[in-house]
Amino acid sequence: MERAVYFDAWYPRQHCYHPSLPTRKLRMVDDLAAYRATSLVWSALGGGSISLPFLEAEAWGDIDARSRIYGFMNDAEYIAECQKRGIKVFGIVFEVQGWEFPVELNEGEDTILAMNELRGAGKRGWIGLREFSQDRYPKLWKSFREYFPNGLVNSAGEQVTDILEECVSRDIHGEALHSDWVEVPGLPQYCYLMDRNNPVWREYLKAIIRIQVDAGVAGVELDEADLPLFSTRYGGCFCRDCMIQFRDHLRGLPADARPTELDGIDLDTFHYGAWLLGQGYDFKTDRQATPLYWEYIRFQRAAVTRHFIELAEYIREYGRSKGREVLVACNCGDAPPHFDAFRPHVDLLCAEQHVTRYRQPSWCRYAAGFQGDKDLAVVEQPFDGVIPELVDALRQGRGHDRLRMMQYEAAALGVSPCIPYGSWMGPVVEDSFWGPHDVLVPMQAFLADHEALYSKRSLNEIAVVYSVPSAFEDAKASAIREFAAFFGACDALIASMQPYDVLMFPEGELRGDSLAIEDLAQYRTLVLPSCSVLTDAQADLVRGFLMQGRRVLVTGELGINLPDAERRSLLDHPGLSRVDEVRPADLADGPQIEIAGSHDLALNIVKVARGAAIHVIRYDYDEERDLVPVLPELVMRVRLPGPWSTASAHSPSREATAELEPEPDAAGHRTLRLRNVPLYTIVLLEA
């Protein structure tokens, strides 16, 4: 398990200014060592979306003697110091951001007197990507041609003279889109929403990657990795390249798969935006009902996957050309289904949640299934959820157990927690998120000291399927948390305190099926919530599971795309039950765990070298006392394979104990008695 740190290190009580992160210093590395950190995300070299010379200054720029007194370093030095401590630093590529900042210069235009925060110190101007691509400030920055000797040529064969104008995403009226979620209100700064479908922008991003690798990063993190798919929230991208590529996508469809709206249309001259405007559609109002909307989404899903893979392979190839293996990470947001195809091509998935809550067990178990054999680090986002409230509470000395709950929950339920270190609070709030040092140090020490009790291999008897093609076709699944049938099944299992795994059924094209019947050997029950679309391989897998005499529970539709006879062979099988909700009584051989009394908790059981580890995370926070009170006793009956003879409890407070009764009952359950159970406990069963 990675012990990741969300290492923006933005200043307290000041705006978080994208894209350039504050200068790093030695004391920060000392903190990271105290936190037993293994990886840093969003952590270095973000300024490439201002210009490449700006990025090089971040990497290797001079640090004056006054700053050296306080241990300040350039980013290459900071990366090297982290490497000495075994900490992997990921450079951050803000793929969607193209910046323009106000600037004040001296008369000779060879010195920046003020930038972004102005003070009336000199000659006003603008500085950013446009000025860099036009060589506006030759005394400040190296020429664009020093990075691209032959210039950059767009898909029409034209030399690019303004990279902002060339590469920005545009709405249906041709207006440039803004990445307004990073622009600070009240400041005359502009961040344009760039388009990775444009080959010019991909070439520019590769130049950023080269500089980051040359500066020594262990890995490169591609932020906003589904660019420009998420431009749909602003009205979609109708730039020249997107329109040409969408037209080519439509032309490449088999005749029997071509939408009927295109009957009689000459696709050699088709322009989606002009066609929509001619019918009165603006791709903003009632967007999902717009003609060809879902075909446009399918096109963008394929395009963003293809172009992400291109950049991921470039990171590895360029790293190898420098004699080392460079890791690939990506911001996968809330891990929506279109990111499923990215997974084989990354080393670390960084989940920047769209909604952050104090407790989110169903999402954590989904994320653990989504990550597969990779690592997934969970970071918060301030816009929707509890983070502003938590930051205020921490400032008052409260909320420590709330913070612990969020971090331990991720670890307990199978993904890597990512502690905040000056992390992002958005462009409006003048603050950043810092966890209290005296809370983070012991918390991280517990995770590090008990690393042997974590594993990606579970001993859970239940698997819940997340069907990527079904989510694609579910018009209500515009955000991951809205796939109601899937999360309804997960919530029901959490409410009944049943541990379970999540299995991803891919759509079969962007990522092919890889699960075999052997991968399901441990499960007694397979839950299929609204798996309305199944590939042939998935249907065969479910059929094989049933033929082995095991139980399948289905909510909603199942495999409506399959031939009728094949579908009936599944639905009519005696081992398959159609249910309205998932209940413990419907599980094969009943529940795996039975707990005496009423409790608010979640469990996960993993196989470790020494035996089996049962992770118990409790949610019964007492608002008045501002803590999760210790539970005097927790008694559970557990069914697990293996001749377990001893049980030991491991908790941050070290007060929990565990006792295992010697003999199983007729159903194979053993009684496990825990005492003095705090917020988080791991019970190790050994032979």
Side-chain angles (χ1 to χ4, degrees):
M1 180 179 66
E2 291 286 349
R3 290 182 298 282
V5 179
Y6 189 6
F7 192 80
D8 293 329
W10 267 307
Y11 298 115
R13 299 184 61 249
Q14 187 171 9
H15 283 298
C16 304
Y17 291 129
H18 274 78
S20 189
L21 302 161
T23 309
R24 280 43 180 127
K25 56 182 180 176
L26 283 167
R27 181 58 181 270
M28 294 177 176
V29 184
D30 293 338
D31 287 345
L32 295 170
Y35 299 150
R36 312 281 286 274
T38 59
S39 295
L40 310 182
V41 294
W42 282 272
S43 57
L45 298 168
S49 50
I50 298 174
S51 78
L52 298 180
F54 190 97
L55 176 61
E56 288 183 328
E58 289 181 328
W60 299 290
D62 292 335
I63 303 294
D64 63 86
R66 181 182 179 187
S67 298
R68 291 289 189 191
I69 287 177
Y70 288 92
F72 283 97
M73 306 169 285
N74 62 40
D75 276 21
E77 294 168 334
Y78 140 73
I79 291 165
E81 290 301 316
C82 287
Q83 288 173 340
K84 292 177 186 177
R85 312 289 187 101
I87 302 169
K88 301 185 291 289
V89 175
F90 283 83
I92 182 66
V93 182
F94 293 116
E95 295 182 272
V96 78
Q97 300 178 26
W99 278 95
E100 287 286 300
F101 282 103
V103 69
E104 292 174 342
L105 306 167
N106 66 347
E107 284 301 317
E109 294 187 346
D110 59 6
T111 302
I112 293 176
L113 303 177
M115 181 174 174
N116 185 41
E117 290 192 358
L118 305 184
R119 54 194 179 92
K123 182 179 178 182
R124 284 287 299 269
W126 287 94
I127 195 165
L129 273 180
R130 175 174 287 119
E131 289 71 27
F132 170 50
S133 62
Q134 295 177 340
D135 290 332
R136 171 64 182 82
Y137 297 114
K139 296 178 184 178
L140 287 175
W141 286 346
K142 291 191 299 186
S143 168
F144 191 75
R145 290 274 175 167
E146 291 196 40
Y147 302 92
F148 306 102
N150 298 316
L152 290 176
V153 178
N154 65 21
S155 58
E158 304 161 340
Q159 279 283 336
V160 174
T161 58
D162 185 333
I163 199 168
L164 268 181
E165 287 298 316
E166 169 63 35
C167 299
V168 69
S169 293
R170 298 184 182 277
D171 69 11
I172 199 169
H173 302 291
E175 296 297 321
L177 300 178
H178 281 249
S179 299
D180 57 8
W181 66 92
V182 291
E183 294 176 338
V184 175
L187 290 181
Q189 51 174 230
Y190 299 100
C191 182
Y192 292 90
L193 198 159
M194 309 303 279
D195 183 358
R196 200 178 62 197
N197 286 352
N198 190 319
V200 172
W201 189 239
R202 295 200 301 280
E203 287 306 305
Y204 186 82
L205 295 177
K206 289 174 184 177
I208 293 176
I209 288 164
R210 291 193 293 271
I211 292 172
Q212 293 190 352
V213 172
D214 291 347
V217 295
V220 175
E221 179 185 357
L222 299 173
D223 198 26
E224 301 111 352
D226 56 352
L227 172 72
L229 177 59
F230 70 77
S231 69
T232 51
R233 74 185 72 170
Y234 296 97
C237 186
F238 290 80
C239 75
R240 178 182 59 202
D241 286 279
C242 282
M243 290 299 93
I244 292 173
Q245 291 172 33
F246 184 44
R247 182 179 66 199
D248 290 343
H249 166 83
L250 295 174
R251 292 169 65 185
L253 293 174
D256 59 355
R258 188 168 293 174
T260 57
E261 295 100 319
L262 295 175
D263 291 348
I265 298 293
D266 180 6
L267 289 181
D268 290 336
T269 59
F270 180 74
H271 186 285
Y272 184 42
W275 182 73
L276 286 180
L277 288 172
Q279 300 176 76
Y281 293 97
D282 63 1
F283 213 75
K284 295 183 175 71
T285 306
D286 198 17
R287 189 163 50 245
Q288 295 184 6
T290 298
L292 299 183
Y293 173 78
W294 290 107
E295 201 59 51
Y296 175 87
I297 294 300
R298 290 187 183 93
F299 147 70
Q300 289 287 20
R301 284 172 177 149
V304 300
T305 301
R306 182 171 64 253
H307 296 144
F308 176 84
I309 293 172
E310 176 186 329
L311 292 181
E313 290 178 347
Y314 185 80
I315 291 167
R316 300 188 199 282
E317 290 168 3
Y318 186 75
R320 287 166 187 156
S321 76
K322 297 297 181 178
R324 58 196 184 91
E325 293 294 321
V326 177
L327 304 174
V328 177
C330 82
N331 175 4
C332 62
D334 237 5
H338 61 268
F339 278 108
D340 177 67
F342 289 33
R343 189 178 72 186
H345 307 281
V346 303
D347 300 289
L348 178 65
L349 294 154
C350 305
E352 185 183 25
Q353 301 166 315
H354 294 165
V355 179
T356 304
R357 304 187 182 105
Y358 293 127
R359 66 185 305 275
Q360 40 201 6
S362 294
W363 183 85
C364 285
R365 288 309 290 152
Y366 164 76
F370 178 89
Q371 75 181 344
D373 59 353
K374 308 294 183 176
D375 286 307
L376 184 146
V378 183
V379 306
E380 78 284 343
Q381 199 181 93
F383 292 128
D384 191 358
V386 301
I387 296 303
E389 171 188 293
L390 178 60
V391 169
D392 287 342
L394 293 173
R395 188 180 292 113
Q396 299 169 33
R398 294 175 54 83
H400 292 181
D401 263 10
R402 291 289 208 192
L403 177 60
R404 293 185 184 103
M405 183 187 297
M406 296 166 66
Q407 300 296 316
Y408 284 141
E409 177 192 56
L413 299 184
V415 291
S416 299
C418 199
I419 62 172
Y421 193 94
S423 57
W424 192 45
M425 287 295 292
V428 177
V429 176
E430 291 187 75
D431 208 349
S432 54
F433 182 17
W434 298 80
H437 188 73
D438 58 350
V439 174
L440 297 180
V441 169
M443 185 170 64
Q444 292 292 97
F446 177 80
L447 296 177
D449 292 343
H450 295 83
E451 192 168 20
L453 301 184
Y454 295 91
S455 170
K456 290 187 174 68
R457 184 176 177 186
S458 89
L459 291 170
N460 301 327
E461 294 180 355
I462 309 163
V464 183
V465 168
Y466 187 97
S467 170
V468 172
S470 303
F472 279 177
E473 299 305 321
D474 185 347
K476 295 180 181 179
S478 58
I480 191 69
R481 296 178 189 274
E482 295 177 19
F483 195 10
F486 171 81
F487 283 103
C490 293
D491 291 346
L493 289 168
I494 292 292
S496 60
M497 294 176 284
Q498 295 305 303
Y500 66 93
D501 292 345
V502 170
L503 300 178
M504 301 297 293
F505 275 15
E507 39 62 62
E509 295 180 7
L510 300 179
R511 183 170 79 84
D513 287 296
S514 58
L515 287 173
I517 193 64
E518 295 80 14
D519 298 314
L520 277 58
Q522 76 187 67
Y523 304 116
R524 300 185 183 211
T525 302
L526 188 64
V527 182
L528 303 177
S530 283
C531 295
S532 56
V533 180
L534 294 177
T535 66
D536 291 342
Q538 292 160 9
D540 290 343
L541 190 66
V542 175
R543 186 177 297 104
F545 189 83
L546 287 166
M547 290 175 64
Q548 292 184 347
R550 287 178 280 177
R551 177 75 54 82
V552 172
L553 301 179
V554 173
T555 67
E557 295 290 351
L558 178 68
I560 58 176
N561 64 306
L562 299 174
D564 188 64
E566 187 175 349
R567 183 169 182 257
R568 294 312 319 173
S569 71
L570 294 176
L571 293 175
D572 293 342
H573 194 284
L576 184 146
S577 299
R578 303 190 74 166
V579 297
D580 293 329
E581 59 180 303
V582 179
R583 297 176 292 266
D586 295 323
L587 302 171
D589 305 311
Q592 182 177 9
I593 290 185
E594 296 178 349
I595 295 181
S598 177
H599 300 282
D600 190 3
L601 55 82
L603 304 105
N604 187 33
I605 311 174
V606 296
K607 182 176 177 59
V608 296
R610 293 169 59 185
I614 304 174
H615 292 255
V616 183
I617 179 74
R618 294 178 50 229
Y619 299 113
D620 35 6
Y621 170 77
D622 185 317
E623 183 76 41
E624 185 174 341
R625 297 164 65 187
D626 186 34
L627 52 79
V628 175
V630 172
L631 186 65
E633 185 175 70
L634 181 66
V635 179
M636 65 176 75
R637 297 171 63 247
V638 184
R639 180 172 56 220
L640 279 176
W644 315 118
S645 57
T646 64
S648 57
H650 305 264
S651 63
S653 59
R654 301 183 181 181
E655 57 189 323
T657 62
E659 177 185 338
L660 182 67
E661 291 192 359
E663 297 298 329
D665 62 19
H669 289 87
R670 302 278 292 279
T671 298
L672 180 62
R673 193 177 304 275
L674 307 182
R675 293 185 175 88
N676 300 321
V677 185
L679 185 155
Y680 181 36
T681 304
I682 309 171
V683 181
L684 176 63
L685 303 180
E686 298 180 89

